[in-house]
C-alpha cells in the first residue's frame, strides 16, 4: 500500500509517499480501506516536533511513529476474530494513527458507522475537530441552554463545529471571523457574527457567559473584559510562540490567573472517546452538524495540504482524498 511517512522532524518537505506492507488486523482490530482522511494542526505539530515538550511523547531526536494522520473514513476490508461490531463492507469513520495511507488497522473502538446522509469526505472531516468542540463546550465550558457563547476562530476547522454544537445545546452564539467568512459562519447557525477586521470583540460592551477561544489572538485580560463575572473562558488554541511550550504557555498562564479571579479559565486537550464519537454520529445523522470543507487534496499532495493548513486561513477542514 501507499502511505505518507517521515523519519525526521521538519517542514512538510520531509514527508514522503512510500510503498509499505499492507497491515494485518489483530484479533480486536479492523482493517480499513481508506477513502478519505483530513488534516489537523496536530499533524504539523508532530511533523515539526514543536512545541518541544511534545517530543517527550513523540520522540526526542526523531519521531517514534513515522506515520501521520488521525481522522479517517473508509470501508471495512476485514476484521479480527474478536471483532463484534463491524463486518467487511461496513462504511465507518473515526480516528487512528497513520490515516494518510491506503489502509489502516485500529481497534474496533476507534470507529463508528458512517451515517447514510454523510459522504466519506464529510465524515473524515469530523473526528478531532468535533471532539475538540464538543468536549470544550460541554465538559470544560459547562454550556447551558440560553447562554451567550462567543466562538473566536469561528471559520476554522474546530470553530465551524463549535458554532453548530453550541447551537445544538440551545446557546445564543456569536462567531468571530474575517470578512470573507461572515456569510459562511452565519449560514451554519451563528446568531451574531463579528468581523474582526472591523470590530474588536474584546472592546465591546457585550458580555458572554462562555468564550470558546480557538485562536488565542487576544490577551487574557482583554478576554476577561467581555466575560461575565461567573463566566468561563475555554482555551483550545493559541499563538505558536516559544519553541518549548508554544501555545501551552498561554494556557498555563490562564491556569495560574484562575486561582486569583472569580472567572474560570480552562484549557482543553481533546481525547478520542467512543461515547463522544457516537454523539457526533447522532448529530451528523440528525443534520445538526454539517462539516465545512475548504480544499481537497490527493494522498500525494499531503505536504501541500499541511502547508496550506499551517498558513492559518483554511475555511473549515482540509481533506485528503485517497480514493477518487
Amino acid at each position: 500500500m501507499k502511505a505518507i511517512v517521515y523519519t525526521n522532524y521538519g517542514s512538510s518537505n520531509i514527508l514522503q509517499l512510500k510503498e509499505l506492507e499492507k497491515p494485518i488486523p489483530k484479533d480486536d482490530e479492523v482493517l480499513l480501506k481508506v477513502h478519505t482522511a483530513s488534516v489537523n494542526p496536530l499533524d504539523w505539530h508532530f511533523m515539526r516536533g514543536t512545541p518541544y515538550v511534545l517530543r517527550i511523547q513523540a520522540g526526542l531526536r526523531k519521531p517514534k511513529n513515522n506515520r501521520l494522520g488521525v481522522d479517517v473514513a473508509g470501508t471495512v476490508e476485514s476484521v479480527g476474530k474478536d471483532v463484534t461490531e463491524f463486518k467487511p463492507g461496513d462504511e465507518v469513520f473515526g480516528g487512528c494513527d497513520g490515516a494518510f495511507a491506503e489502509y489502516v488497522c485500529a481497534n474496533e473502538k476507534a470507529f463508528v458507522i458512517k451515517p447514510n446522509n454523510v459522504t466519506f469526505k464529510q465524515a473524515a472531516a469530523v473526528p478531532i475537530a468535533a471532539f475538540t468542540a464538543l468536549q470544550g463546550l460541554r465538559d470544560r465550558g459547562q454550556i447551558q441552554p440560553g447562554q451567550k457563547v462567543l466562538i473566536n476562530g469561528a471559520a476554522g476547522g474546530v470553530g465551524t463545529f463549535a458554532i453548530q454544537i453550541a447551537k445544538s445545546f440551545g446557546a445564543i452564539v456569536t462567531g468571530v471571523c474575517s470578512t470573507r467568512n461572515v456569510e459562511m459562519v452565519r449560514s451554519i447557525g451563528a446568531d451574531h457574527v463579528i468581523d474582526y477586521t472591523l470590530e474588536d470583540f474584546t472592546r465591546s460592551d457585550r458580555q458572554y457567559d462562555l468564550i470558546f477561544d480557538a485562536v488565542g489572538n487576544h490577551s487574557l485580560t482583554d478576554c476577561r473584559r467581555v466575560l461575565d463575572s461567573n463566566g468561563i473562558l475555554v482555551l483550545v488554541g493559541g499563538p505558536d510562540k516559544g519553541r518549548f511550550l508554544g501555545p501551552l504557555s498561554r494556557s498555563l498562564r490562564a491556569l495560574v490567573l484562575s486561582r486569583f479571579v472569580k472567572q474560570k479559565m480552562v484549557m482543553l486537550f481533546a481525547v478520542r472517546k467512543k461515547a463522544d464519537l457516537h454523539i457526533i454520529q447522532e448529530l451528523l445523522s440528525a443534520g445538526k452538524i454539517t462539516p465545512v470543507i475548504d480544499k481537497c487534496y490527493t494522498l500525494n499532495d499531503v505536504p501541500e495540504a499541511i502547508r496550506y493548513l499551517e498558513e492559518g486561513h483554511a475555511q473549515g477542514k482540509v481533506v485528503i482524498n485517497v480514493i477518487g
Side-chain angles (χ1 to χ4, degrees):
M1 71 168 188
K2 293 179 180 178
I4 294 292
V5 300
Y6 72 123
T7 56
N8 295 290
Y9 295 121
S11 70
S12 59
N13 294 328
I14 66 173
L15 303 180
Q16 295 179 301
L17 184 64
K18 289 194 171 183
E19 291 281 346
L20 303 178
E21 287 190 15
K22 184 177 174 180
I24 299 173
K26 298 176 183 177
D27 291 346
D28 60 352
E29 288 186 336
V30 170
L31 173 64
L32 192 68
K33 184 177 180 63
V34 178
H35 285 246
T36 319
S38 72
V39 185
N40 293 285
L42 185 71
D43 297 314
W44 59 262
H45 277 298
F46 273 96
M47 177 189 75
R48 292 185 176 275
T50 58
Y52 288 156
V53 67
L54 178 146
R55 298 193 186 191
I56 297 172
Q57 173 191 352
L60 293 178
R61 294 182 176 274
K62 61 182 181 179
K64 295 177 182 177
N65 180 0
N66 67 348
R67 301 275 301 281
L68 286 177
V70 177
D71 293 342
V72 67
T75 303
V76 174
E77 180 97 345
S78 63
V79 300
K81 69 180 183 65
D82 294 334
V83 172
T84 59
E85 191 172 349
F86 304 108
K87 63 183 185 304
D90 284 344
E91 297 180 347
V92 303
F93 74 103
C96 63
D97 295 334
F100 299 151
E102 292 180 321
Y103 292 89
V104 292
C105 271
N107 188 284
E108 64 177 329
K109 295 179 181 179
F111 306 116
V112 295
I113 294 292
K114 179 183 73 67
N116 290 330
N117 62 325
V118 174
T119 67
F120 283 109
K121 290 180 184 178
Q122 290 174 319
V126 173
I128 289 294
F131 278 144
T132 303
L134 176 63
Q135 293 168 14
L137 291 166
R138 180 196 63 194
D139 303 338
R140 305 298 283 162
Q142 302 170 31
I143 190 170
Q144 298 296 322
Q147 282 188 326
K148 295 178 181 179
V149 177
L150 180 134
I151 312 295
N152 187 27
V158 172
T160 50
F161 285 110
I163 290 284
Q164 298 174 79
I165 290 173
K167 287 299 297 180
S168 76
F169 277 99
I172 302 167
V173 182
T174 297
V176 181
C177 62
S178 65
T179 305
R180 75 182 185 97
N181 294 317
V182 167
E183 290 307 315
M184 182 273 288
V185 169
R186 186 174 287 118
S187 74
I188 60 175
D191 299 288
H192 310 284
V193 183
I194 295 174
D195 180 347
Y196 67 72
T197 68
L198 302 176
E199 179 184 353
D200 181 347
F201 77 86
T202 68
R203 301 296 171 181
S204 168
D205 57 1
R206 293 185 289 270
Q207 294 280 298
Y208 301 95
D209 302 293
L210 170 60
I211 296 177
F212 182 96
D213 190 357
V215 182
N217 58 347
H218 291 277
S219 72
L220 297 174
T221 299
D222 287 343
C223 289
R224 288 185 57 225
R225 185 181 298 117
V226 292
L227 187 64
D228 183 82
S229 59
N230 294 307
I232 300 176
L233 171 63
V234 180
L235 305 172
V236 295
D240 197 15
K241 295 179 180 179
R243 292 185 176 182
F244 188 74
L245 290 176
L248 293 178
S249 59
R250 183 170 183 262
S251 296
L252 293 174
R253 290 198 303 272
L255 288 178
V256 173
L257 181 59
S258 288
R259 299 174 66 89
F260 302 99
V261 298
K262 191 173 181 181
Q263 297 157 320
K264 292 182 181 178
M265 287 170 280
V266 296
M267 61 180 175
L268 170 73
F269 295 103
V271 294
R272 287 178 271 177
K273 294 181 180 179
K274 182 83 166 192
D276 283 350
L277 193 57
H278 275 300
I279 291 172
I280 292 164
Q281 177 194 45
E282 292 170 3
L283 290 170
L284 286 166
S285 295
K288 292 185 176 180
I289 60 173
T290 300
V292 176
I293 296 175
D294 185 341
K295 290 188 177 184
C296 298
Y297 293 84
T298 66
L299 188 59
N300 191 54
D301 292 328
V302 166
E304 183 181 345
I306 291 180
R307 280 194 293 271
Y308 176 68
L309 187 67
E310 279 191 284
E311 292 172 1
H313 303 299
Q315 185 184 76
K317 291 286 293 183
V318 175
V319 166
I320 306 299
N321 286 330
V322 180
I323 295 178

